[in-house]
Amino acid sequence: MMYFLVCRESGLDCDFVIRGKTFEEFIENGANHAIQKHGMRAEDLYSGDIPTNLLCHSFSEDIEK
């Protein structure tokens, strides 16, 4: 299984695709992207106060066959 999210789907103007083989890897990669490329703080990602909460919304699962 692969988890993925196009950053644009979280409300940002960004075509980066966040991926992870596990949910934990996906969360880590999403958080790192948000912090490094969008200047967010770790506290922002967990607060739930911003519409681009990458850690809780809009991810998809792709089941590899």
Side-chain angles (χ1 to χ4, degrees), residues 6-51:
V6 178
C7 192
R8 181 175 303 284
E9 294 173 4
S10 70
L12 296 171
D13 185 19
C14 177
D15 290 323
F16 183 79
V17 179
I18 302 160
R19 300 178 191 274
K21 292 180 183 175
T22 65
F23 186 71
E24 291 77 17
E25 181 181 54
F26 165 78
I27 295 295
E28 181 179 346
N29 291 342
N32 287 339
H33 173 73
I35 292 165
Q36 294 172 5
K37 299 298 180 184
H38 297 295
M40 293 181 186
R41 300 173 307 142
E43 298 83 22
D44 295 335
L45 297 173
Y46 292 98
S47 72
D49 293 335
I50 58 174

